């Protein structure tokens, strides 16, 4: 059996059969099934990485073309190899910040609803909690979002800038300036951090 | 040729001839001629030096000198004079020098003056006698100086050799110090000595430097003493007479003293110094007395002087500081004073009600100082502006609100201002501080609200003044700023003219409205263009039928003259006057339209329940409660309520109060104010804030559209340059953020502080 056929029949296991628009596509139910098969908890980061590696369009949605090229790139022909490829991806994140950045940026598309221009702060905190080790500001930002009930959404620019903030700004905030181009939300974030720091200090 | 015409000699005979022959040998001089003549001249010089008359005439002496010179004895004569000058000056000056500074025969200075006067006089006499020598020998021989110069050099020589010139300088300087200390000085001698030093060529190299140095020391000590014992500012009343250099002075006293010193030194120059000394002397004096102490003087007393409005002292300060080029320091103190004083006013917690008055006072006071004391110096004027701007905007929106309120206060009828001119001045002063506030858009919003209130409440005192004020605002901020205000004024005028126009002809196009007809209830309407006037919430109200009729009548007429205009009734702005028959007699009630509508219900029924009233008026609960409260529970109770009480309940019953009494025929029943002001202001400010955010976004898009790609800092600064209100950096970034979100801009992928415009 040609490789292509393996990949195809594998796809068929999860494809959404209840549609009449003729699209070959995996929808969230199918994706969850795949994750189950791989022993991935949906509360974990692995499903997101998997989705990304399979060129997912939005949360839990994979087209056949993405599936095919993704699997070829990972050289994965079965579940074990796929699991291994995902593990390798996670390891590469640690070594290659640019690689992680690409993944991180894509996350925004997976977390938003439809074509909305923002993600809910609830989703943002959930996913940031899974990648906390990738940026010092993530855990702080999660706390900030939880404490700031009036901040209900995070837009793409804020999302992307957060990773940048972790890279550029020192954890003691000594090189943060409100004059710089950081989103206004970060001014409030920094104010909040400073207030909470001085509270703990006192 | 008279000889040829001459007749022949009457005597006749042979003519005699006169024959001239050269001498065979020159006659020899008598051997003692030279010695004798020279001796004669020498004794004549002695005589002159002793002030004795010369035994022989001067003419004769002149001839002697001439003849000696003709016989080539000029150099002997010259050296004789040199010796005599030397001997004489040596003798006189040594004698003077051997005496103490002051003695019975007069001070050394006096004696030197005497010597100098004698000597120069003698010298000119001698010069006359020996004129021939001077003109021929001295003039034509190299390395030989004129007799005058010879005489002077003898003195110069002696002064240098005996070091007498240092002594004279010391005495000279000592004398001036005596004078500075308030004692009399021998001005005559000083002038003469000064002259002597000039003639001897010792003035500018020797006397002047020493004198200036002594001056420096003197004023250095004096100023240190005065500064270290400086006392706080005394009011004019407790000020004693000038206490002189050793007394305790306050700063104004010190400044006056400095001025006095400068005058003294100027006089000193005219009295016994050379004019060329003037500038360096004054400069030295100023340096020591003023320049070195500028910061101390300013720090210790500038604020107090301004506080006490000491115009003339400040004028002195200004003139002194400008003479030593220290206006920078003055500028600093001036700015700091204004900021400090201004901040105090701005931050005083309970001052808001009089804040604008205080600001106006401050501004006027400072303006006066600028004009009368600081000669309207351009830098100080701009410092004033900068400082005012800085402190006045420390309270974001408050100043705009308060200044608008003050303007309203001046403009509304019934306020007290002396004259029309007085009012115009007040308005000018208001504009004077309005100029400094950043939130001019907010001011405009407040001003419009107040103008609307003045007009609708019939409180406009004078339309010309209203127009004048709007013109002033226009002059200050440009036409765009006053568009809506001008529109309002137009509406007001046309509203007032409207009844006549509608009356006259049903077909003339014009702008506004109103009319009565079937039952004349005195109906009158103002037509206000929505875009110009503040926005008001519409109020649902079922009008009494007479009013309703008048309204539709009006609309009908109005629409004949004004096509395609949509009229929207603002019932909550209406007012009415209702005549009511009470037991006491006929009264006129001045009511809001809503109050009037409720009142009119009682012309048919004596008693109504809350629910009935609500049904008939269509008012919602909050509004209805307020109205009933004002009619039944306020100061004038034209309705009675059952059960009694301050609050209105939906179960209450109301009845016409026929027993209502009042000493006045006309009664105004005010509406219950729902914490109006505060809420009103907040709403207005929110509105303005929202408006500002739109303007920020529009400006950002405009700038980015022009630049395509821009750094954050450049964008921010260009933005701030375009805005006339304050905005925080976070607010700017929030606006940028929403523009990114709405895809007008995008952040550069590599350089996160750079934005791109998305076409």
């Amino acid at each position: 059996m040609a490789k292509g056929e393996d990949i195809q029949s594998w796809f068929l296991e999860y494809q959404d059969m209840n549609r009449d628009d003729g699209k070959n596509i995996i929808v969230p139910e199918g994706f969850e099934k795949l994750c189950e098969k791989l022993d991935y908890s949906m509360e974990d980061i692995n499903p997101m990485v998997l989705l990304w590696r399979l060129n997912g369009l939005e949360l839990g949605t994979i087209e056949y073309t993405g599936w095919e090229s993704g699997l070829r790139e990972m050289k994965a022909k079965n579940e074990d190899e796929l699991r291994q490829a995902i593990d390798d991806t996670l390891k590469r994140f640690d070594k290659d910040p640019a690689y992680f950045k690409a993944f991180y940026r894509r996350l925004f598309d997976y977390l938003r609803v439809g074509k909305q221009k923002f993600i809910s702060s609830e989703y943002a905190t959930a996913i940031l909690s899974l990648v906390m080790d990738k940026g010092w500001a993530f855990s702080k930002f999660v706390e900030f979002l939880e404490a700031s009930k009036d901040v209900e959404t995070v837009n793409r620019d804020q999302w992307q800038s957060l990773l940048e903030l972790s890279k550029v700004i020192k954890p003691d905030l000594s090189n943060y300036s409100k004059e710089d181009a950081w989103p206004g939300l970060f001014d409030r974030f920094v104010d909040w951090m400073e207030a909470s720091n001085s509270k703990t200090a006192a | 040729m008279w000889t040829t015409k001459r007749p022949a000699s009457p005597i006749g005979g042979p003519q005699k001839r006169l024959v001239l022959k050269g001498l065979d040998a020159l006659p020899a001089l008598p051997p003692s001629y030279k010695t004798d003549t020279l001796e004669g001249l020498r004794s004549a010089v002695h005589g002159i030096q002793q002030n004795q008359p010369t035994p022989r005439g001067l003419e004769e002496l002149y001839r002697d000198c001439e003849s000696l010179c003709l016989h080539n004895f000029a150099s002997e004569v010259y050296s004789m004079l040199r010796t005599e000058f030397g001997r004489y000056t040596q003798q006189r000056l040594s004698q003077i020098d051997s005496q103490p500074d002051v003695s019975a025969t007069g001070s050394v200075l006096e004696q030197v003056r005497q010597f100098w006067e004698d000597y120069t006089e003698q010298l000119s006499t001698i010069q006359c006698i020996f004129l021939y020598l001077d003109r021929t020998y001295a003039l034509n021989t190299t390395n030989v100086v004129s007799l005058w110069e010879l005489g002077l050099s003898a003195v110069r020589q002696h002064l240098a050799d005996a070091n007498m010139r240092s002594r004279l300088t010391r005495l000279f300087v000592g004398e001036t110090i005596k004078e500075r200390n308030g004692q009399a000085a021998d001005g005559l001698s000083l002038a003469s000595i000064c002259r002597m030093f000039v003639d001897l060529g010792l003035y500018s190299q020797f006397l002047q430097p020493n004198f200036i140095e002594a001056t420096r020391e003197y004023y250095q000590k004096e100023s240190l003493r005065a500064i270290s014992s400086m006392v706080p500012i005394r009011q004019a009343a407790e000020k004693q007479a000038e206490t002189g250099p050793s007394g305790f002075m306050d700063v104004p006293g010190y400044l006056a003293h400095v001025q006095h010193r400068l005058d003294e030194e100027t006089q000193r120059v005219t009295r016994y110094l050379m004019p060329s000394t003037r500038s360096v002397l004054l400069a030295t004096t100023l340096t020591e007395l003023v320049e070195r102490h500028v910061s101390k003087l300013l720090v210790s007393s500038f604020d107090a002087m301004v506080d006490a409005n000491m115009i003339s002292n400040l004028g002195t300060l200004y003139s002194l500081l400008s003479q030593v080029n220290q206006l920078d320091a003055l500028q600093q103190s001036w700015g700091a004073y204004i900021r400090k004083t201004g901040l105090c006013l701005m931050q005083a917690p309970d001052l808001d009600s009089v804040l604008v008055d205080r600001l106006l006072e401050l501004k006027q006071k400072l303006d006066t100082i600028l004009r009368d004391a600081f000669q309207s110096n351009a830098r100080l004027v701009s410092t004033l502006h900068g400082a005012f701007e800085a402190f006045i905007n420390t309270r974001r929106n408050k100043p705009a609100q308060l200044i608008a309120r003050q303007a309203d206060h001046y403009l509304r009828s019934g306020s007290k201002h002396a004259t029309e001119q007085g009012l115009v001045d007040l308005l000018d002063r208001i504009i004077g501080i309005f100029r400094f506030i950043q939130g001019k858009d907010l001011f405009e919003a407040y001003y419009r609200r107040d103008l609307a209130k003045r007009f609708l409440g019939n409180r406009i005192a004078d339309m010309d003044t209203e127009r004048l004020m709007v013109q002033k605002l226009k002059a200050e901020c440009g036409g765009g700023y006053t568009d809506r205000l001008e529109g309002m004024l137009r509406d007001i005028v046309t509203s007032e003219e409207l009844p006549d126009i509608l009356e006259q002809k049903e077909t003339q196009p014009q702008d506004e409205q109103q009319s009565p007809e079937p039952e004349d209830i005195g109906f009158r309407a103002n037509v206000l263009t929505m875009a110009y006037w503040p926005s008001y919430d519409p109020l649902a109200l079922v009008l009494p039928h007479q009013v309703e009729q008048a309204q539709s009548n009006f609309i009908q007429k109005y629409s004949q003259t004004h096509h395609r205009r949509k009229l929207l009734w603002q019932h909550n702005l209406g007012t009415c006057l209702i005549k009511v028959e009470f037991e006491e007699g006929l009264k006129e009630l001045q009511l809001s339209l809503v109050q009037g509508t409720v009142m009119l219900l009682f012309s048919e029924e004596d008693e109504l329940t809350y629910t009935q009233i609500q049904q008939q008026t269509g008012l919602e609960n909050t509004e209805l409660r307020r109205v009933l409260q004002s009619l039944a529970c306020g100061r004038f109770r034209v309705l009675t309520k059952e059960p009694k009480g301050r609050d209105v309940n939906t179960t209450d019953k109301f009845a016409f109060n026929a027993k209502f009494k009042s000493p006045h025929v006309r009664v105004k029943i005010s509406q219950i104010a729902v914490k109006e002001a505060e809420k009103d202001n907040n709403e207005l400010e929110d509105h303005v804030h929202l408006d500002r955010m739109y303007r920020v976004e529009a400006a950002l898009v405009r700038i980015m559209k022009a630049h395509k790609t821009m750094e954050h800092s450049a964008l921010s600064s260009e933005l701030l340059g375009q805005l006339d209100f304050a905005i925080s950096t976070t607010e700017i970034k929030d606006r940028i953020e929403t523009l990114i979100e709405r895809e007008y801009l995008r952040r550069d992928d590599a350089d996160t502080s750079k934005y791109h415009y998305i076409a």
Side-chain angles (χ1 to χ4, degrees):
Chain A
M1 212 191 269
K3 263 189 195 167
E5 279 171 43
D6 283 349
I7 288 174
Q8 242 173 39
S9 53
W10 199 4
F11 186 78
L12 283 174
E13 284 178 39
Y14 305 104
Q15 186 182 342
D16 179 16
M17 299 302 182
N18 307 323
R19 56 196 310 141
D20 42 19
D21 58 2
K23 276 188 182 166
N24 296 325
I25 198 162
I26 294 178
V27 295
E29 285 102 331
F31 183 67
E32 270 184 55
K33 228 166 82 189
L34 172 64
C35 291
E36 238 167 79
K37 195 86 180 177
L38 292 169
D39 263 344
Y40 288 166
S41 156
M42 295 312 283
E43 316 287 294
D44 213 342
I45 192 68
N46 305 29
M48 286 298 175
V49 181
L50 177 64
L51 186 64
W52 180 58
R53 296 294 325 249
L54 292 175
N55 305 302
L57 298 177
E58 50 193 79
L59 196 58
T61 309
I62 303 167
E63 275 186 327
Y64 179 70
T65 47
W67 167 273
E68 190 187 10
S69 65
L71 285 178
R72 283 190 199 291
E73 202 184 303
M74 289 186 275
K75 301 195 173 63
K77 292 179 291 296
N78 55 46
E79 278 139 18
D80 287 339
E81 283 172 357
L82 184 54
R83 230 187 329 255
Q84 185 57 46
I86 297 301
D87 286 349
D88 291 346
T89 306
L90 284 168
K91 278 181 204 141
R92 189 171 160 197
F93 282 164
D94 292 334
K95 283 176 283 185
D96 184 351
Y99 194 59
F100 176 75
K101 183 174 167 183
F103 167 66
Y104 177 85
R105 290 195 159 203
R106 197 78 175 101
L107 280 176
F108 187 84
D109 296 306
Y110 298 155
L111 293 175
R112 63 180 175 164
V113 176
K115 291 290 167 200
Q116 277 182 351
K117 297 199 165 145
F118 49 84
I119 58 180
S120 72
S121 64
E122 201 183 329
Y123 279 21
T125 52
I127 210 75
L128 284 172
S129 309
L130 299 179
V131 291
M132 270 191 193
D133 59 322
K134 296 295 184 301
W136 68 262
F138 290 179
S139 60
K140 290 284 177 192
F141 196 67
V142 167
E143 283 176 47
F144 167 68
L145 288 180
E146 280 164 356
S148 316
K149 289 294 159 227
D150 55 325
V151 184
E152 288 169 352
T153 61
V154 174
N155 67 27
R156 186 186 292 277
D157 187 53
Q158 290 157 350
W159 177 258
Q160 296 184 355
S161 299
L162 184 64
L163 182 62
E164 206 61 30
L165 184 84
S166 288
K167 261 192 243 173
V168 177
I169 299 299
K170 296 181 192 152
D172 67 0
L173 302 173
S174 55
N175 58 343
Y176 186 87
S177 161
K178 292 191 179 182
E179 303 296 326
D180 290 343
W182 300 110
L185 179 65
F186 288 14
D187 288 355
R188 288 183 274 277
F189 173 40
V190 164
D191 287 344
W192 173 86
M193 268 197 279
E194 278 168 351
S196 67
N197 282 350
S198 62
K199 229 182 276 167
T200 33
Chain B
M1 300 286 161
W2 56 275
T3 40
T4 55
K5 286 180 186 162
R6 212 180 213 184
S9 161
I11 301 161
Q15 283 184 340
K16 282 188 185 165
R17 297 178 77 182
L18 182 64
V19 179
L20 293 178
K21 284 187 192 164
L23 291 171
D24 291 339
L26 285 171
L29 285 171
S32 63
Y33 173 75
K34 183 184 115 184
T35 334
D36 293 348
T37 318
L38 213 49
E39 267 322 304
L41 286 175
R42 188 194 303 279
S43 68
V45 168
H46 279 181
I48 291 167
Q49 287 176 339
Q50 305 308 321
N51 290 330
Q52 289 160 1
T54 43
R56 293 188 295 158
L58 296 179
E59 169 75 17
E60 202 174 325
L61 291 169
Y62 177 86
R63 286 191 192 291
D64 282 348
C65 166
E66 187 184 23
S67 92
L68 278 174
C69 290
L70 287 172
H71 288 96
N72 288 331
F73 298 127
S75 71
E76 280 84 348
V77 181
Y78 192 82
S79 69
M80 178 277 284
L81 286 173
R82 188 205 310 274
T83 316
E84 288 312 313
F85 288 159
R87 191 189 49 73
Y88 177 73
T89 50
Q90 165 78 24
Q91 178 209 330
R92 286 259 335 241
L93 288 176
S94 306
Q95 191 261 331
I96 294 172
D97 203 17
S98 64
Q99 291 174 32
D101 292 350
V102 182
S103 64
T105 45
S107 71
V108 168
L109 284 178
E110 268 170 326
Q111 294 185 47
V112 171
R113 167 171 70 94
Q114 193 56 54
F115 158 75
W116 182 249
E117 282 167 6
D118 292 349
Y119 188 68
T120 47
E121 202 186 312
Q122 294 160 11
L123 203 51
S124 60
T125 311
I126 292 171
Q127 206 182 9
C128 286
I129 297 172
F130 294 89
L131 187 64
Y132 192 83
L133 177 75
D134 210 10
R135 286 286 162 81
T136 54
Y137 177 75
L139 194 64
N140 297 328
T141 317
T142 42
N143 295 330
V144 169
V145 295
S146 72
L147 292 185
W148 180 259
E149 192 42 46
L150 184 70
L152 294 187
S153 71
V155 180
R156 195 183 296 128
Q157 187 74 39
H158 182 81
L159 290 184
D161 289 351
N163 220 5
M164 202 176 160
R165 63 179 187 190
S166 300
R167 184 177 184 202
L168 284 178
T169 305
R170 179 171 58 73
L171 291 171
F172 183 94
V173 167
E175 199 69 7
T176 61
I177 287 175
K178 245 170 69 186
E179 192 174 50
R180 285 186 183 128
N181 286 337
Q183 290 160 275
D186 181 0
L188 213 57
S189 299
L190 290 175
S192 171
I193 303 245
C194 172
R195 188 71 242 166
M196 177 174 96
F197 273 93
V198 171
D199 286 343
L200 296 177
L202 292 172
Y203 182 78
S204 50
Q205 309 93 306
F206 196 75
L207 183 66
Q208 175 174 303
N210 280 294
F211 170 68
I212 292 296
E213 192 44 44
T215 305
R216 184 188 307 285
E217 270 171 39
Y218 182 82
Y219 284 131
Q220 193 171 41
K221 282 190 201 136
E222 172 171 295
S223 63
L224 285 175
R225 209 165 44 226
I227 298 282
S228 63
S229 62
M230 196 71 86
V231 295
I233 291 198
R234 290 179 285 230
Q235 291 308 305
E238 38 179 312
K239 191 162 287 185
Q240 322 98 306
E242 208 44 55
T243 41
S246 57
F248 296 105
M249 282 183 271
D250 60 0
V251 168
Y254 179 75
L255 294 173
H257 174 72
V258 171
Q259 193 60 57
H260 180 65
R261 282 298 196 200
L262 289 173
D263 293 345
E264 274 181 5
E265 296 303 332
T266 312
Q267 280 177 22
R268 184 156 294 131
V269 172
T270 43
R271 278 172 52 223
Y272 51 77
L273 292 165
M274 288 294 107
S276 59
T277 307
R278 187 188 142 100
S279 60
V280 55
L281 175 60
L282 293 183
T284 309
T285 310
L286 277 168
T287 307
E288 292 306 325
L289 290 181
V290 182
E291 195 175 352
R292 295 196 192 286
H293 307 292
V294 168
S295 68
K296 272 207 184 109
L297 293 174
L298 289 173
V299 169
S300 71
S301 298
F302 181 78
D303 291 5
M305 286 166 76
V306 179
D307 275 340
N309 216 5
M310 305 169 95
I311 302 259
S312 72
N313 296 314
L314 286 167
T316 311
L317 179 69
Y318 173 82
S319 113
L320 292 177
L321 291 182
S322 67
Q323 287 176 61
V324 294
N325 277 328
Q326 289 287 336
L327 286 184
D328 283 353
L330 180 65
Q331 195 181 4
Q332 270 181 14
S333 300
W334 175 241
Y337 174 84
I338 299 169
R339 273 192 299 278
K340 197 185 72 191
T341 316
L343 278 178
C344 271
L345 288 181
M346 295 302 290
Q347 284 161 0
D350 338 312
L351 215 56
D352 281 3
S353 55
V354 289
L355 178 63
V356 175
D357 276 331
R358 294 286 166 81
L359 289 175
L360 291 174
E361 279 166 25
L362 176 67
K363 175 79 180 1
Q364 197 172 38
K365 172 175 161 179
L366 297 174
D367 279 344
T368 312
I369 292 176
L370 266 182
R371 192 191 60 218
D372 295 345
F374 296 165
Q375 299 174 15
S376 300
N377 177 292
R379 279 166 57 203
L380 295 175
V381 170
S382 86
T383 307
L384 169 78
H385 291 180
F388 243 87
E389 213 171 300
F391 78 72
I392 213 168
N393 288 304
T394 51
R395 286 195 42 203
R396 299 196 69 155
N397 298 331
K398 205 69 186 174
Q401 183 198 335
L402 294 177
I403 294 171
R405 193 169 76 188
Q406 191 80 3
D408 179 52
H409 176 73
Y410 289 150
L411 289 166
R412 75 179 30 226
S413 62
S415 65
K416 296 164 205 115
H417 29 71
T419 58
E420 198 174 320
Q421 189 52 43
L423 177 59
V424 173
D425 285 348
L426 283 175
L427 294 178
D428 274 337
R429 291 171 57 193
I430 287 267
I431 294 280
I433 58 172
F434 161 77
R435 192 169 290 154
F436 301 125
I437 59 170
Q438 273 170 343
K440 295 207 169 57
D441 48 352
L442 188 64
F443 176 89
E444 191 250 15
Y446 275 115
Y447 193 90
R448 275 195 303 133
R449 187 191 67 182
D450 293 341
L451 173 59
K453 276 191 190 161
R454 283 200 293 280
F455 173 60
L456 297 170
N458 224 357
R459 303 291 301 276
I460 288 190
D462 175 29
M463 271 310 277
D464 287 340
T465 317
E466 292 285 354
R467 264 188 224 107
L468 183 71
M469 184 63 184
V470 171
Q471 272 166 19
K472 286 182 192 300
L473 291 172
K474 190 174 183 175
E476 201 63 36
C477 300
Y481 185 72
T482 48
D483 267 354
R484 291 191 287 190
L485 290 172
E486 288 172 280
M488 286 173 77
L489 293 181
R490 279 197 301 276
D491 281 357
I492 291 173
V493 173
T494 39
S495 282
E496 277 166 358
E497 291 167 347
L498 197 58
D500 299 338
I501 292 163
L502 293 180
E503 198 77 1
Q504 275 173 11
K505 263 243 154 162
E506 330 261 275
T507 49
Q508 259 182 8
Q510 246 293 339
D511 231 75
E512 318 276 318
Q513 52 141 12
Q514 135 118 22
S515 112
E517 222 183 272
E519 184 186 349
D520 190 355
I521 57 167
F523 177 87
R524 183 171 158 2
N526 295 312
V527 179
L528 314 177
T529 314
M530 250 190 184
Y532 301 147
W533 293 71
S535 54
Y536 302 100
D537 295 331
L539 176 76
L541 175 68
V542 179
L543 292 169
H545 69 277
Q546 308 95 308
V547 181
E548 184 121 39
Q549 223 168 10
Q551 270 192 2
S552 48
N553 185 39
F554 172 82
I555 293 180
Q556 192 201 345
K557 277 192 186 175
Y558 184 80
S559 54
Q560 282 171 356
T561 54
H562 303 76
H563 300 286
R564 272 179 296 200
R565 289 214 178 184
K566 195 179 154 203
L567 294 178
L568 186 71
W569 296 97
Q570 291 287 2
H571 297 312
N572 48 359
L573 301 179
T575 56
C576 60
L577 195 65
I578 297 181
K579 289 178 185 160
V580 185
E581 192 80 54
F582 291 101
E583 283 175 9
E584 194 188 49
L586 192 68
K587 301 273 180 203
E588 289 183 352
L589 299 184
Q590 203 176 340
L591 302 169
S592 75
L593 182 59
V594 184
Q595 287 171 326
T597 305
V598 172
M599 258 334 263
L600 277 181
L601 297 178
F602 290 89
S603 62
E604 320 214 324
E605 305 276 347
D606 273 348
E607 194 179 285
L608 290 164
T609 63
Y610 179 94
T611 323
Q612 284 171 322
I613 299 174
Q614 186 162 40
Q615 277 164 359
Q616 294 185 38
T617 56
L619 287 167
E620 50 94 19
N621 282 324
T622 345
E623 185 66 25
L624 183 55
R625 272 211 186 98
R626 277 208 304 154
V627 174
L628 288 172
Q629 216 166 11
S630 71
L631 296 172
C633 315
R635 207 168 122 218
F636 305 108
R637 301 184 177 178
V638 291
L639 296 181
T640 55
K641 183 170 89 78
E642 192 63 42
K644 299 204 180 312
R646 290 212 70 86
D647 293 318
V648 172
N649 292 308
T650 48
T651 51
D652 290 347
K653 277 197 238 166
F654 298 87
F656 176 64
N657 179 15
K659 294 187 167 55
F660 173 76
K661 283 192 171 139
S662 164
H664 303 291
V665 176
R666 181 173 286 196
V667 179
K668 178 171 183 186
I669 299 181
S670 38
Q671 308 184 51
I672 306 281
V674 268
K675 290 174 197 152
E676 203 72 58
E678 192 75 3
K679 199 179 115 223
D680 216 37
N681 288 348
N682 287 343
E683 263 171 31
L684 190 141
E685 280 175 22
D686 288 349
H687 199 78
V688 170
H689 182 76
L690 205 62
D691 207 47
R692 285 181 182 179
M693 293 307 117
Y694 292 139
R695 280 161 59 200
V696 172
E697 286 176 18
L700 284 169
V701 170
R702 243 183 352 255
I703 297 168
M704 286 303 295
K705 192 170 179 180
H707 288 78
K708 302 298 179 225
T709 295
M710 238 181 152
E711 285 281 339
H712 177 77
S713 53
L715 178 59
S716 299
S717 63
E718 186 154 345
L719 175 72
L720 290 175
Q722 292 193 7
L723 300 179
D724 54 3
F725 49 84
I727 179 170
S728 75
T729 53
T730 306
E731 281 173 319
I732 295 178
K733 290 190 289 185
D734 283 343
R735 288 307 104 200
I736 293 176
E737 201 59 16
T738 73
L739 291 174
I740 292 179
E741 200 174 306
R742 281 146 59 199
E743 294 178 358
Y744 285 97
L745 310 181
R746 96 186 143 74
R747 196 183 283 278
D748 189 274
D749 277 335
D751 181 354
T752 53
S753 64
K754 201 184 268 177
Y755 308 111
H756 299 281
Y757 178 72
I758 301 176

